[in-house]
């Protein structure tokens, strides 16, 4: 059996692959079929907003489900929750192959959202649970790579096949069958019986799943940081998701076909995937300003898309935006594990943070429609320019809060510094809000 480093020993490679396979599903609801939104708009003679409900409503449904899953996916029930979610998602995808109305497609998309919502916290929570330190940051980057690689494949496939048979495009929703077949290799029983602990971990095997809280934030500081992290992730995802939502309509107005739409959209997810795979190296390359550089690149990429009509430039701008977002995403995931007061609460905190991803995706058409009407704009690229301006505001916030752990990045360590945690502890003590049990 082949093994990989887990940070406190070794983990079966098949278990890591199985865990990463879960992430193949988590970005699929709605986004997978976005390249053919313009085509569905014509096929069913629906409004632009109605077509976008195929993308937005599944993500709206996912929000409460993700929060619930974060609470109920305790070790005892993880396998049951995971299996149920994957099965629901697969079944809804299979029926979508035969759907013949916009209403039915939207309903099945929502059912897929329910299934996907059950597995979202587990996809990141498993990595947080079984991997430590640098291995955790690397594998969270691979998680991002897996999820976005699947969206790349889905977008290219959908953009190509939609021109011939739009029903066949929904075959991308059969992907949950892959992790469903690999569930036996990621159960608590299988991993515990096949992993190899380091000598230090073996002597304290009873404490492996609950390491010291010395590098975790506590009390009010934990709450404050997770709220800031949620706001950052939600707004940034909302802005960059414009590529999936509005590229089909904007490029259709420019006379471009669904294949070209699929390539531009896939270019974004390609760079998100590549950045995720090399996030540790990229953090070292850019150094401490990495968060600010990436926010600036996102803003520049989105504004460029809003102003140009060149197919080649659209691809380049999409690549730049995806590259920057792909670095920030796994950094946010990793920060979540340390902002959670304890290791055991990691799954719940992932539920909080990851739910913001789906809030962002759901709110895109409604927020952008409101501001387009407010500014009386008829420009095809309005949504991209507006999103770019919003990212500029995020960048200004980040610069003002540059010492905040949410924005501060230490290229050499994913964990907060002892000084950061100590300062938060001191603030809690002064406020008299910390209980003895919360101290490290």
């Amino acid at each position: 059996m082949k093994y990989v480093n887990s940070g406190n020993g070794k983990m079966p490679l098949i278990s890591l692959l199985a865990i990463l396979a879960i992430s193949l599903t988590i970005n699929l609801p709605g986004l997978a079929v976005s390249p053919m939104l313009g085509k569905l708009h014509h096929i069913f003679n629906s409004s632009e907003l109605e077509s976008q409900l195929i993308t937005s409503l599944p993500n709206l449904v996912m929000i409460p489900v993700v929060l619930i899953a974060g609470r109920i996916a305790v070790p005892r029930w993880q396998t049951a929750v995971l299996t149920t979610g994957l099965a629901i998602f697969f079944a809804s995808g299979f029926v979508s192959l035969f759907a013949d109305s916009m209403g039915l497609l939207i309903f099945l998309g929502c059912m897929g959202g329910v299934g996907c919502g059950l597995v979202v916290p587990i996809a990141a929570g498993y990595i947080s649970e079984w991997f430590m330190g640098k291995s955790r940051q690397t594998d969270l980057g691979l998680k991002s790579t897996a999820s976005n690689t699947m969206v790349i494949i889905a977008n290219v496939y959908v953009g190509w096949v939609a021109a011939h048979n739009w029903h066949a495009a929904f075959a991308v929703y059969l992907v949950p069958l892959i992790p469903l077949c690999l569930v036996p290799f990621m159960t608590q029983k299988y991993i515990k019986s096949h992993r190899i602990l380091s000598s230090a971990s073996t002597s304290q095997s009873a404490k492996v799943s609950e390491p010291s809280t010395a590098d975790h934030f506590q009390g009010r500081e934990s709450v404050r940081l997770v709220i800031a992290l949620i706001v950052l992730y939600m707004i940034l995802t909302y802005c960059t998701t414009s590529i999936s939502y509005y590229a089909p309509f904007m490029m259709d107005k420019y006379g471009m076909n669904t294949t070209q739409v699929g390539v531009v959209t896939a270019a974004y997810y390609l760079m998100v995937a590549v950045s995720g795979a090399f996030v540790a190296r990229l953090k070292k390359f850019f150094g401490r300003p990495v968060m600010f550089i990436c926010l600036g690149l996102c803003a520049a990429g989105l504004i460029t898309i809003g102003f140009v009509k060149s197919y080649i430039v659209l691809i380049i701008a999409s690549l730049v935006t995806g590259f920057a977002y792909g670095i920030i995403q796994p950094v946010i995931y990793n920060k979540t594990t340390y902002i959670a007061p304890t290791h055991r609460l990691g799954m719940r905190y992932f539920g909080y943070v990851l739910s913001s991803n789906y809030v962002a995706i759901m709110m895109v058409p409604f927020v952008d429609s409101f501001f387009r009407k407010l500014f009386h704009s008829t420009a095809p690229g309005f949504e991209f320019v507006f999103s770019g301006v919003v990212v500029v505001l995020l960048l200004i916030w980040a610069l003002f809060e540059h010492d905040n752990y949410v924005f501060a990045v230490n290229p050499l360590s994913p964990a907060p510094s002892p000084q950061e945690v100590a300062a938060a502890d001191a603030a809690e003590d002064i406020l008299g809000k910390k209980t003895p049990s919360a101290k490290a």
Side-chain angles (χ1 to χ4, degrees):
M1 180 181 293
K2 292 187 177 181
Y3 288 85
V4 293
N5 185 25
S6 66
N8 65 337
K10 294 186 178 296
M11 178 77 69
L13 174 61
I14 185 64
S15 295
L16 174 60
L17 294 176
I19 292 170
L20 293 176
I22 303 173
S23 295
L24 296 175
T25 68
I26 64 175
N27 281 344
L28 287 182
L31 293 182
V33 296
S34 62
M36 69 171 182
L37 289 182
K39 188 175 185 66
L40 293 177
H41 167 61
H42 294 303
I43 291 173
F44 295 106
N45 195 28
S46 60
S47 66
E48 184 175 305
L49 180 60
E50 186 179 4
S51 299
Q52 289 172 334
L53 290 178
I54 292 179
T55 300
S56 60
L57 278 187
N59 289 282
L60 175 62
V61 171
M62 288 179 68
I63 297 166
V65 179
V66 169
L67 293 172
I68 293 170
R71 286 184 168 271
I72 65 175
V74 294
R76 181 180 179 183
W77 299 107
Q78 280 173 354
T79 302
V81 174
L82 176 63
T83 304
T84 301
L86 292 172
I88 293 173
F89 195 177
F90 174 77
S92 67
F94 181 78
V95 179
S96 294
L97 291 169
F98 309 100
D100 58 0
S101 71
M102 183 68 80
L104 183 56
L105 288 174
I106 293 173
F107 170 76
L108 291 171
C110 290
M111 290 304 299
V114 171
C116 186
L118 289 173
V119 308
V120 164
I122 298 175
Y126 267 167
I127 295 175
S128 177
E129 179 178 358
W130 298 114
F131 295 87
M132 304 294 172
K134 293 182 179 179
S135 295
R136 178 191 288 165
Q137 176 70 91
T138 298
D139 292 331
L140 285 171
L142 291 175
K143 170 197 174 301
S144 179
T145 297
S147 61
N148 289 291
T149 298
M150 189 63 247
V151 177
I152 296 167
I153 296 171
N155 275 268
V156 172
Y157 167 75
V158 170
W160 170 75
V161 80
H164 309 283
N165 185 342
W166 66 268
H167 283 99
F170 288 94
V172 296
Y173 288 154
L174 303 182
V175 169
L177 184 62
I178 298 174
L180 197 58
C181 292
L182 294 173
V183 165
F185 300 105
M186 51 181 142
T187 62
Q188 293 277 329
K189 181 179 179 181
Y190 182 88
I191 294 178
K192 286 182 178 179
S193 62
H194 289 83
R195 65 177 175 169
I196 301 173
L197 297 176
S198 63
S199 57
S201 298
T202 303
S203 63
Q204 301 180 24
S205 58
K207 299 181 180 180
V208 167
S209 62
E210 188 61 68
S212 169
T213 60
D215 55 357
H216 289 251
F217 291 94
Q218 306 295 321
R220 289 165 58 94
E221 186 68 5
S222 174
V223 173
R224 186 181 70 82
L225 289 174
V226 77
I227 291 174
L229 202 65
I230 287 171
V231 171
L232 170 64
Y233 193 29
M234 180 175 67
I235 296 179
L236 187 61
T237 300
Y238 149 74
C239 292
T240 57
T241 302
S242 296
I243 294 174
S244 289
Y245 268 96
Y246 294 105
F249 301 104
M250 183 185 73
M251 295 175 68
D252 183 54
K253 291 177 182 177
Y254 293 161
M256 300 180 191
N257 58 41
T258 58
T259 301
Q260 292 173 307
V261 173
V263 171
V264 169
T265 308
Y268 165 74
Y269 289 105
L270 170 65
M271 290 312 297
V272 176
V274 171
S275 299
F278 298 99
V279 63
R281 294 182 182 179
L282 290 170
K283 282 169 58 180
K284 290 181 180 179
F285 177 79
F286 287 112
R288 292 184 180 275
V290 61
M291 186 72 78
F292 315 118
I293 293 172
C294 289
L295 287 173
L297 290 174
C298 278
L302 289 169
I303 292 173
T304 299
I305 292 173
F307 280 118
V308 304
K309 297 182 180 180
S310 166
Y311 177 53
I312 299 300
V313 176
L314 287 175
I315 293 175
I316 295 172
S318 186
L319 288 169
V320 169
T321 306
F323 172 77
Y325 182 79
I327 296 174
I328 295 176
Q329 189 178 54
V331 169
I332 287 176
Y333 293 160
N334 199 59
K335 286 181 180 293
T336 303
T337 65
Y338 296 102
I339 288 174
T342 67
H343 190 65
R344 288 187 181 277
L345 286 174
M347 191 80 72
R348 182 180 300 181
Y349 271 61
F350 271 116
Y352 297 152
V353 172
L354 293 174
S355 65
S356 67
N357 177 72
Y358 303 103
V359 172
I361 296 171
M362 176 274 300
M363 69 189 233
V364 170
F366 305 103
V367 173
D368 286 342
S369 177
F370 171 79
F371 281 101
R372 177 181 276 275
K373 291 178 181 177
L374 181 67
F375 291 106
H376 304 288
S377 175
T378 58
F382 168 81
E383 290 81 7
F384 295 101
V385 176
F386 179 76
S387 294
V389 172
V390 173
V391 178
V392 170
L393 295 178
L394 274 182
L395 175 58
I396 294 172
W397 174 37
L399 291 171
F400 271 107
E401 294 279 335
H402 61 277
D403 290 329
N404 189 317
Y405 178 65
V406 170
F407 302 108
V409 176
N410 180 357
L412 301 179
S413 173
S417 67
Q419 292 79 10
E420 288 175 305
V421 177
D425 286 346
E428 289 296 315
D429 287 331
I430 291 172
L431 293 171
K433 298 294 185 182
K434 183 185 284 291
T435 62
S437 61
K439 294 184 178 180

